[in-house]
Amino acid sequence: MPFQLPFRFGSSSASTPMDSRARQSKMMEYDQPLVWVTLLLMLLGMVMVYSASISLPDSPKFANYVRWQNTYFLQRQAMFIAVSLVAGLFVFRVRIADLQKAAPYLFICTLVLLVAVLIPGLGVVVNGGRRWLSLKVFNVQPSELMKVVAVLYAADYTVRKQQYMHKLTKGFMPMAAAVGFVGLLLLLEPDLGAFGVIVCIAMGILFLGGINAIWFGGIGAVLVVIFGSIIALSKFRRERYFAYLNPWEEDNAMNKSYQLTHSLIAFGRGEIFGVGLGGSVEKLHYLPEAHTDFLLAVIGEELGLAGVLVVIALFYWIIKRAFDIGRQAIAIDQTFAGLTAKGIGIWIGVQTFINMGVNLGLLPTKGLTLPLMSYGGTGVVINCIGLAILLRIDYENRVLMRGGRL
């Protein structure tokens, strides 16, 4: 019997028992492949996180986790996935119209959290970055929350300002100011990777919403200059970029490009079908952050090119499905829902591309996790919330196309 979710939300209007059963049977329909692909990625990620982290308790850096032996990160990731599924089910029950109304307020609240991170005593410093707020049980990363909130806010803004999309001052500048303020807070953490993803989300949704093509091209050029200047004016970013250009130079290989070179070694060892699950050598304290940012390298070493291609194909399917759902929503005049769905596709696609590009040496090293798969509580929960919103949009599309009411 196929897995089914309790999608009975009811209606205030009176109806006969026969009509209720007919309506309920239609509402039970949802995108099962999207659910199963999401679950498959999370479960595969949990297995690989366990494999990548099994030796970490032997490291002095993780000595505090030795009491949990080798299953500490596995247990935590399993807990994160359980919380993510509960959060996803809760968010699925929220109507898209209600999310649209709440979008500006969610944006303001998340800005407050980004400010709170920078306050000494509130923000938690990890690996030199002040990006987390402690909730005792686990740390919350507001920059991850801002990604899904940016999708909702940009989509709501585009719908509200539709008549001004061809004007610079009324159409683009207010959104640019909001994203610029977010970027300032993220650069103070610092978290250039999250800022880049949020900029791509906002620009992508504005483009899909009909912003003037000339302004869009000019703005894109300005953003390239801004990001280039940020790299050029920051010594450690500049050194990291030049090390990326020549990772095998001896000094670079032992310092700024250490992660990149060991990631490439991991892929080289994996060849076509990998060395076998659990057989990675690079995870044995050679490749830093193997269970987070460089999880794909462990997948490449243990499961080979075949495993990496499967992961890429699953992410491609999710992204394509997001754009299909978005087009469907726009076709039935649900513009906010359609832009939100496509925004989720942009978010997952851009972050996945950056993470995979970094692992494969196509992009400079950046601290972005692989969505749904890498170790981390906030990231997995927020990814599931985003995909729950996508499922809700698809659900509402199906109800409306069958003549139902939400």
Side-chain angles (χ1 to χ4, degrees):
M1 181 177 180
F3 173 71
Q4 292 182 331
L5 296 178
F7 291 170
R8 180 72 171 113
F9 300 101
S11 173
S12 59
S13 60
S15 60
T16 66
M18 185 72 71
D19 292 337
S20 296
R21 285 195 296 272
R23 188 179 299 111
Q24 185 178 13
S25 67
K26 291 179 180 178
M27 288 187 177
M28 291 299 289
E29 297 180 12
Y30 65 101
D31 196 332
Q32 289 193 25
L34 180 57
V35 173
W36 288 117
V37 169
T38 301
L39 288 174
L40 179 59
L41 281 172
M42 287 195 296
L43 293 176
L44 176 59
M46 185 173 68
V47 171
M48 297 312 303
V49 164
Y50 177 48
S51 178
S53 64
I54 195 168
S55 65
L56 289 183
D58 299 332
S59 169
K61 179 179 178 180
F62 299 97
N64 291 334
Y65 307 138
V66 72
R67 64 185 184 275
W68 293 87
Q69 298 181 353
N70 296 329
T71 61
Y72 174 84
F73 292 98
L74 172 65
Q75 293 179 45
R76 298 274 291 184
Q77 189 72 354
M79 180 187 72
F80 296 150
I81 290 175
V83 172
S84 300
L85 294 177
V86 172
L89 286 171
F90 175 79
V91 170
F92 180 86
R93 298 181 68 88
V94 180
R95 297 187 312 142
I96 298 301
D98 293 334
L99 287 176
Q100 183 176 5
K101 293 176 184 177
Y105 305 103
L106 291 173
F107 185 75
I108 293 171
C109 290
T110 310
L111 281 179
V112 172
L113 293 177
L114 287 177
V115 172
V117 165
L118 302 175
I119 300 175
L122 292 179
V124 177
V125 179
V126 178
N127 294 333
R130 188 183 295 273
R131 304 173 186 174
W132 291 267
L133 293 173
S134 177
L135 294 182
K136 302 302 180 183
V137 179
F138 61 90
N139 295 333
V140 173
Q141 191 172 357
S143 59
E144 290 291 333
L145 178 59
M146 179 54 79
K147 293 172 186 175
V148 68
V149 171
V151 171
L152 296 173
Y153 181 72
D156 173 61
Y157 177 87
T158 303
V159 171
R160 286 188 288 108
K161 300 288 186 177
Q162 189 62 52
Q163 59 182 323
Y164 301 118
M165 279 294 102
H166 288 280
K167 297 182 179 180
L168 180 64
T169 54
K170 292 184 178 182
F172 174 76
M173 291 307 295
M175 189 66 190
V179 174
F181 185 61
V182 171
L184 176 63
L185 295 175
L186 290 175
L187 291 176
L188 291 174
E189 293 185 1
D191 195 348
L192 183 62
F195 181 33
V197 172
I198 290 169
V199 167
C200 289
I201 291 170
M203 290 294 292
I205 291 177
L206 288 176
F207 176 76
L208 295 171
I211 192 172
N212 185 285
I214 296 177
W215 287 121
F216 183 83
I219 293 161
V222 170
L223 287 173
V224 171
V225 172
I226 290 174
F227 277 96
S229 300
I230 292 172
I231 294 172
L233 297 175
S234 175
K235 183 180 179 181
F236 82 92
R237 291 192 180 99
R238 187 171 62 249
E239 290 176 347
R240 179 182 290 181
Y241 179 76
F242 285 118
Y244 152 75
L245 294 177
N246 187 18
W248 299 107
E249 194 271 325
E250 183 177 356
D251 185 58
N252 291 337
M254 296 301 294
N255 292 287
K256 296 296 182 181
S257 62
Y258 181 82
Q259 284 179 299
L260 173 57
T261 53
H262 280 277
S263 177
L264 294 176
I265 291 171
F267 283 109
R269 290 193 73 248
E271 298 184 346
I272 303 299
F273 297 107
V275 297
L277 186 62
S280 169
V281 171
E282 286 299 320
K283 70 184 181 185
L284 302 178
H285 311 301
Y286 293 105
L287 177 61
E289 309 301 331
H291 61 308
T292 56
D293 300 352
F294 284 84
L295 187 66
L296 187 71
V298 178
I299 295 174
E301 186 176 2
E302 296 190 351
L303 304 182
L305 176 63
V308 172
L309 290 178
V310 168
V311 172
I312 292 174
L314 293 174
F315 276 111
Y316 170 78
W317 192 91
I318 289 178
I319 297 163
K320 181 180 183 301
R321 187 72 190 111
F323 276 85
D324 289 341
I325 292 171
R327 282 193 296 269
Q328 193 176 56
I330 292 174
I332 57 176
D333 295 326
Q334 301 296 306
T335 306
F336 171 79
L339 291 176
T340 299
K342 292 183 178 184
I344 292 170
I346 293 171
W347 161 32
I348 299 295
V350 168
Q351 184 163 333
T352 300
F353 174 77
I354 293 176
N355 177 272
M356 290 184 173
V358 166
N359 276 254
L360 293 167
L362 301 176
L363 296 172
T365 304
K366 200 72 234 100
L368 282 176
T369 57
L370 187 61
L372 297 170
M373 299 188 72
S374 291
Y375 174 80
T378 309
V380 175
V381 171
I382 297 303
N383 293 154
C384 277
I385 287 175
L387 291 173
I389 294 172
L390 183 63
L391 276 167
R392 176 69 194 192
I393 294 170
D394 177 68
Y395 164 75
E396 293 192 3
N397 287 350
R398 297 176 187 227
V399 171
L400 292 174
M401 287 190 296
R402 288 166 172 77
R405 289 184 296 176
L406 301 173

